[in-house]
């Protein structure tokens, strides 16, 4: 195994550790696991293409379309189900069905079906990858017209300004209790017109289906349970992902991480730019939130296993006046991130011309590999340490001296050791790291906790490292009842 060090790292034998039980289990730095390398390289460009050819051949996958019409959403979701089922006997495939009323654009109650494939792990904690299989045809220029209208009417003055001017009845999540945005009150369009949705979001759908095959065939026994999800109702306001997230919260399903992929297949932007070597990840703040930490993790692991494909981290929930299913998970308190191609072509979104010729399969395969590397590492590593007390406050103090940094965390199952990270309190990314043994507290003498941000990750004996849990004060709304 090759050792990969991103930061200046040292293994410390406890000279500075005060009051901790010292167990000098050998802990390796984040390693390149040849099994993950093999898994990542087994993503097939050809299969992505075969899957998307079929998926985009259905006339429409609009959530409000007639599910009994041939060539419609009913046939499409059944095909996804059958394809996942025949992929591997290790996958537990099911419809995640919800009866939903008052979906905008739909008549009456809709039976909405997400399609999910579960690859059981040793522990119940779950890591998801998703795309939305529903499609949309807005008519009259699709997303190009919507975007031009948004910037032309009010200028790009911020999320609120752009949101107010948007004309797309698509997926903008609302804050609870917020009145519907103007776009959501528009009369229904004909949901049965042609909507191939090859890139939006056939690309994310077949990415999730291909990763189901790759993980199931890898022969690796993962600690975490992996879920390969294709959802419906995204274009009507994240309805399918929202219903799943709410149920998961109610039933206390341990969703550790959710990788949402939506419009991830195009390398040619509508402005003539070309970029087949980077992918954007959007994540909800504030800094050091579980979603931001997950985004950083995906970028870090992606750089190790797919070094010629770069993740561009975006410190915002999503693009202006656009949304995606990760936000429905965030709304229920789960860590979730949104992958987006780097150069979009708005003229080929939400219209009849979102066809397969707009998808670059070499690029889509690279994006699938970045997802695969992060998911596999996360699923083999121990869960990230819990660094808060039962009231949600960070377990950090100044010891009796008043001038030391004393960190405590709960032991993560399967951890052979931990890695502590820190940075200047104004720095955007971790600057230093220190590998410690199987301890659950650590003291840095004469480091003022007001001047530094600290975090800790769990590592197993083979060197798989979790995402980083940071010692941060919870947002004011969480501690003061939303005041
Ligand atoms: Zn979409």
């Amino acid at each position: 195994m090759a050792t990969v060090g991103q930061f200046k790292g040292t293994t410390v034998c406890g000279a500075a550790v005060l009051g901790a039980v010292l167990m000098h289990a050998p802990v390796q730095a984040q390693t390149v696991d040849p099994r993950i390398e093999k898994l990542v390289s087994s993503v097939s460009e050809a299969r992505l293409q075969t899957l998307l050819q079929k998926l985009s051949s259905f006339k429409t996958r609009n959530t409000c379309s007639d599910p009994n019409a041939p060539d419609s959403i009913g046939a499409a979701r059944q095909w996804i189900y059958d394809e996942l089922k025949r992929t591997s006997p290790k996958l537990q495939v099911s419809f995640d069905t919800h009866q939903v009323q008052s979906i905008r654009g739909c008549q009456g109650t809709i039976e909405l079906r997400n399609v999910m494939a579960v690859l059981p792990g040793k522990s119940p904690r779950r890591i998801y990858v998703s795309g939305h299989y529903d499609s949309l045809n807005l008519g009259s220029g699709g997303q190009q017209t919507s975007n031009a209208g948004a910037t032309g009417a009010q200028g790009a003055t911020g999320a609120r300004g752009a949101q107010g001017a948007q004309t797309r009845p698509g997926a903008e999540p609302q804050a609870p209790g917020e009145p519907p945005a103007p776009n959501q009150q528009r009369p229904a369009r004909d949901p049965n017109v042609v909507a191939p949705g090859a890139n939006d979001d056939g690309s994310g759908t077949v990415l999730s289906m291909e990763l189901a095959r790759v993980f199931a065939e890898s022969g690796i026994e993962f600690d975490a349970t992996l879920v390969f999800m294709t959802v419906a109702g995204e274009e009507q306001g994240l309805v399918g992902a929202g219903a799943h997230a709410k149920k998961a919260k109610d039933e206390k399903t341990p969703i550790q991480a959710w990788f949402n992929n939506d419009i991830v297949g195009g390398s040619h932007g509508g402005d003539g730019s070309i970029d087949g070597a980077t992918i954007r990840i959007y994540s909800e703040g504030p800094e050091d939130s579980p979603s931001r930490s997950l985004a950083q993790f995906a970028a870090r692991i992606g750089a190790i296993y797919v070094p010629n494909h770069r993740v561009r981290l975006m410190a915002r929930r999503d693009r202006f006046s656009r949304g995606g299913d990760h936000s429905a998970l965030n709304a229920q308190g789960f860590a979730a991130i949104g992958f987006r191609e780097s150069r979009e072509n708005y003229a080929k979104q939400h219209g009849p011309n979102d066809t397969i010729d707009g998808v670059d399969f070499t690029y889509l395969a690279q994006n699938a590999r970045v997802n695969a590397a992060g998911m596999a590492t996360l699923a083999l590593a121990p869960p990230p340490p819990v660094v808060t007390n039962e009231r949600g406050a960070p377990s950090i103090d100044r010891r009796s001296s008043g001038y030391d940094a004393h960190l405590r965390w709960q032991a993560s199952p399967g951890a052979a050791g931990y890695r502590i990270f820190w940075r200047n309190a104004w720095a955007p990314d971790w600057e230093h790291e220190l590998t410690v043994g199987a301890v659950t507290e650590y003291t840095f003498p004469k480091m003022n906790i007001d001047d530094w941000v600290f975090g800790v990750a769990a590592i197993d004996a083979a060197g798989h490292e979790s995402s980083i849990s940071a010692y941060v004060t919870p947002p004011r709304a969480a501690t003061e009842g939303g005041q």
Side-chain angles (χ1 to χ4, degrees), residues 397-406 444-449:
D397 63 73
R398 308 165 205 274
R399 298 223 77 128
S400 53
S401 77
Y403 297 95
D404 302 329
H406 178 225
F444 290 93
K446 296 188 176 174
M447 279 189 78
N448 190 330
I449 64 172

Side-chain angles (χ1 to χ4, degrees), residues 132 168 200-201 234-235 262-263 322-323 350:
H132 72 83
R168 175 194 177 215
D200 182 12
D201 181 29
E234 194 273 351
E235 300 288 7
D262 194 350
I263 313 185
R322 307 292 298 272
H350 300 150

Side-chain angles (χ1 to χ4, degrees), residues 78-120:
Q78 188 62 47
W79 172 76
I80 295 171
Y81 178 99
D82 293 342
E83 183 63 33
L84 287 168
K85 193 101 182 158
R86 74 184 187 86
T87 296
S88 168
K90 290 185 178 166
L91 294 171
Q92 299 171 353
V93 182
S94 63
F95 285 122
D96 171 47
T97 303
H98 305 268
Q99 305 296 329
V100 195
Q101 290 172 333
S102 320
I103 300 186
R104 57 179 194 264
C106 300
Q107 303 291 325
T109 301
I110 292 288
E111 184 179 87
L112 185 149
R113 295 189 192 182
N114 303 320
V115 192
M116 59 194 289
V118 177
L119 182 63

Side-chain angles (χ1 to χ4, degrees), residues 176-220:
E178 210 175 79
N183 65 301
Q184 295 169 335
Q185 298 170 328
R186 295 196 315 168
R189 296 169 196 281
D190 181 357
N192 293 303
V193 296
V194 171
N199 198 13
D200 182 12
D201 181 29
S203 60
T205 300
V206 299
L207 181 151
S208 303
M209 294 172 73
E210 170 61 355
L211 291 193
R213 179 190 72 80
V214 162
F215 276 76
E217 290 179 356
S218 70
I220 303 173

Side-chain angles (χ1 to χ4, degrees), residues 342-366:
S342 272
R343 307 286 179 178
E344 292 183 68
N345 184 348
Y346 309 120
K348 282 181 79 69
Q349 296 173 5
H350 300 150
N353 57 349
D354 182 1
T355 43
I356 198 162
D357 58 293
V359 174
D360 174 342
F361 289 95
T362 304
Y363 179 64
L364 178 58
Q366 286 289 78

